[in-house]
Amino acid sequence: MATDTTTSSSPTPTQAPATKHKRWKSRAVSRTVDAGNSAYCAVCDELIKFRARIRAEQIICNVYAKNRWDRVEHYHPACYEEAGSPYGEPNG
């Protein structure tokens, strides 16, 4: 008897799992002002100052445009509220 040595494997399309791209969303966090900070507030354009005896807070926002990171914005807490909390309620 003859042995069939041909392989009849039909090419099956390999389906890669559909990758869903994460939608990046601008967000805000509340942090203490560190020594040597040189950030300016996006609303009042004044320096967000470190003070040794006062634990001042600042709002830091990662801003995304067209699903890509664009910039970081810094705010005084009062200025962020005055601006209408453009990037949501600050976490942290």
Side-chain angles (χ1 to χ4, degrees):
M1 238 198 289
T3 306
D4 186 12
T5 58
T6 62
T7 57
S8 62
S9 62
S10 61
T12 57
T14 307
Q15 291 183 349
T19 57
K20 290 187 177 183
H21 295 285
K22 182 176 179 175
R23 287 289 303 161
W24 290 98
K25 183 180 176 187
S26 299
R27 60 193 183 275
V29 294
S30 177
R31 297 285 185 256
T32 57
V33 179
D34 294 328
N37 187 43
S38 62
Y40 286 86
C41 179
V43 173
C44 68
D45 205 32
E46 290 184 16
L47 182 66
I48 299 174
K49 298 176 186 173
F50 170 78
R51 295 183 183 105
R53 296 176 191 225
I54 300 171
R55 293 190 50 95
E57 295 282 318
Q58 66 177 328
I59 308 298
I60 303 172
C61 303
N62 279 313
V63 180
Y64 292 85
K66 297 181 182 175
N67 206 34
R68 297 188 74 168
W69 180 83
D70 189 45
R71 65 189 178 278
V72 174
E73 292 181 357
H74 298 261
Y75 295 87
H76 294 105
C79 292
Y80 189 73
E81 286 182 26
E82 178 184 312
S85 301
Y87 304 110
E89 200 60 34
N91 296 331

